[in-house]
């Protein structure tokens, strides 16, 4: 799975809009849309914010592993 596809899948699983996630990241919705479509790479600082928000590991969020695990149990 592509890392950007994982971004979309996680967001949709939680019924969040791109605008909601963009607000959490402090960016415009159009910018976040580029991340999800793989047109632009997202910085590690934003991945860390999303990992904390979603309470999942960075390796899952980035598509390195297929099994998610929670940061806080």
């Amino acid at each position: 799975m592509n890392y950007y596809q994982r971004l979309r899948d996680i967001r949709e699983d939680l019924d969040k809009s791109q605008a909601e996630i963009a607000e959490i990241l402090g960016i415009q919705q159009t910018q976040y849309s580029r991340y999800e479509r793989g047109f632009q790479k997202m910085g590690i600082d934003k991945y860390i914010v999303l990992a904390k928000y979603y309470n999942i590991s960075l390796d899952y969020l980035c598509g390195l592993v297929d099994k998610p695990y929670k940061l806080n149990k």
Side-chain angles (χ1 to χ4, degrees):
M1 172 177 289
N2 293 320
Y3 65 92
Y4 52 87
Q5 185 177 4
R6 174 83 31 99
L7 290 173
R8 189 187 81 209
D9 289 347
I10 293 169
R11 177 183 58 78
E12 288 178 345
D13 287 347
L14 296 174
D15 294 322
K16 299 292 181 181
S17 69
Q18 285 185 346
E20 289 173 300
I21 302 304
E23 185 175 333
I24 290 164
L25 295 174
I27 59 174
Q28 297 292 318
Q29 179 273 327
T30 53
Q31 178 72 37
Y32 185 74
S33 176
R34 286 185 224 128
Y35 295 151
E36 278 195 0
R37 293 181 290 148
F39 294 155
Q40 190 169 355
K41 293 183 180 178
M42 189 166 62
I44 188 69
D45 58 324
K46 292 188 178 19
Y47 272 104
I48 291 169
V49 170
L50 287 181
K52 289 178 180 178
Y53 177 75
Y54 292 138
N55 192 31
I56 57 172
S57 64
L58 278 171
D59 54 352
Y60 179 74
L61 185 60
C62 295
L64 297 174
V65 298
D66 291 329
K67 186 176 179 183
Y69 65 88
K70 303 269 185 211
L71 295 177
N72 301 316
K73 296 181 179 187

